[in-house]
Amino acid sequence: MSEHCDQAAMSREEFEAALRAKGDLYHIHHPFHIAMYEGTCTPEQIRGWVANRFYYQIMIPVKDAAIMANCPDRDVRRQWIQRVLDHDGYDGAEGGIEAWLRLGEAVGLTREEIISQEHVLPGVRFAVDAYVNFARRANWKEAASSSLTELFAPTIHQSRLKTWPEHYPWIDANGYQYFRNRLTEARRDVEHGLQITLDHYKTREQQERMLEILQFKLDILWSMLDAMTMAYELNRPPYHTVTDQKVYHRGLF
């Protein structure tokens, strides 16, 4: 039996506070992100980050579609589908994936090399795939709640908009639209996801499980940056001891 079973459930306010406290472990505190905000990243490091995060961007609507596929609640699906539309675009709106491609072009990458995923590191791919697979297998409410790292996202987007133009004047300012869009989209998504979470997790055991799920998502985001640190800061990309070629797979399995 779980050690938390006999503990009193947290109140709604206490549970929300515990969720928000996880922000201390958000990847905004990773040394790679800190370097980006302080302006010490090289163009290669910025381009590497953008190229790798593209894989995360294109898999987010896949994750959200998996959540909807497991969700029997029509009202929830009606709201959740907006996340897919935000990324894929609709009715003339380009969407977040297109906005990210524009960011890639703004930092000096070509659309072709971003879309080819030739720069996506195995560690990044494995982390993102773990997130998508969790969303496919988990109870839809748990998968939905795993998105609550968005609680901390507006801060990270605001930091990029504030510091990047000053530190990286070589980046075309037209590339920052993705961050601007997410300032409002993420806040809307948080309101919905937080409501689902606070309504569903009533016992202490359920609440502790949700905190573990949120930690799992934080682990994914942090691990992605660990892989980028090895490749772009420590100059130890995969297989660096045997080849300087990007021989790693591109998601064929």
Side-chain angles (χ1 to χ4, degrees), residues 209-221:
R209 175 168 172 77
M210 178 52 226
L211 290 169
E212 276 293 292
I213 291 171
L214 186 54
Q215 185 60 56
F216 162 72
K217 176 62 180 307
L218 291 165
D219 292 349
I220 285 168
L221 296 173

Side-chain angles (χ1 to χ4, degrees), residues 29-230:
H29 304 296
H30 192 286
F32 198 100
H33 260 308
I34 292 173
M36 283 197 289
Y37 303 140
E38 292 180 345
T40 59
C41 278
T42 65
E44 179 191 15
Q45 289 166 350
I46 295 291
R47 292 177 188 125
W49 177 78
V50 171
N52 276 271
R53 282 281 299 194
F54 178 73
Y55 187 64
Y56 182 82
Q57 301 304 325
I58 63 173
M59 296 306 287
I60 288 299
V62 176
K63 177 268 298 183
D64 287 324
I67 292 173
M68 288 193 297
N70 292 329
C71 177
D73 189 319
R74 181 175 62 168
D75 290 336
V76 171
R77 294 197 305 268
R78 282 172 168 171
Q79 288 186 263
W80 206 270
I81 197 171
Q82 186 61 49
R83 298 171 184 244
V84 176
L85 298 176
D86 285 343
H87 276 77
D88 286 345
Y90 65 99
D91 293 340
E94 291 181 336
I97 292 174
E98 177 61 28
W100 198 269
L101 285 168
R102 291 183 182 277
L103 173 63
E105 291 175 315
V107 302
L109 297 165
T110 67
R111 293 174 70 90
E112 291 72 24
E113 66 181 311
I114 302 169
I115 292 171
S116 75
Q117 300 178 22
E118 64 188 78
H119 301 300
V120 178
L121 301 163
V124 170
R125 189 180 298 278
F126 294 151
V128 174
D129 287 350
Y131 184 33
V132 175
N133 289 332
F134 171 77
R136 286 171 172 156
R137 299 193 309 266
N139 173 288
W140 75 266
K141 293 177 182 176
E142 292 187 345
S145 297
S146 70
S147 297
L148 275 184
T149 46
E150 291 168 332
L151 282 167
F152 325 118
T155 299
I156 210 169
H157 296 312
Q158 190 62 61
S159 295
R160 291 165 186 156
L161 289 169
K162 180 179 179 180
T163 62
W164 280 32
E166 176 185 353
H167 294 314
Y168 310 111
W170 52 271
I171 297 177
D172 186 343
N174 292 324
Y176 294 136
Q177 190 59 46
Y178 177 87
F179 304 141
R180 297 188 188 98
N181 292 344
R182 290 305 296 168
L183 285 175
T184 54
E185 293 170 354
R187 290 189 176 97
R188 180 207 62 213
D189 292 347
V190 162
E191 183 177 347
H192 185 213
L194 188 59
Q195 179 182 338
I196 292 173
T197 302
L198 296 177
D199 288 346
H200 176 62
Y201 300 90
K202 297 295 188 180
T203 70
R204 184 58 175 257
E205 186 174 22
Q206 291 173 335
Q207 291 168 342
E208 294 292 344
R209 175 168 172 77
M210 178 52 226
L211 290 169
E212 276 293 292
I213 291 171
L214 186 54
Q215 185 60 56
F216 162 72
K217 176 62 180 307
L218 291 165
D219 292 349
I220 285 168
L221 296 173
W222 198 276
S223 296
M224 290 169 63
L225 289 175
D226 282 346
M228 288 182 245
T229 296
M230 288 292 293

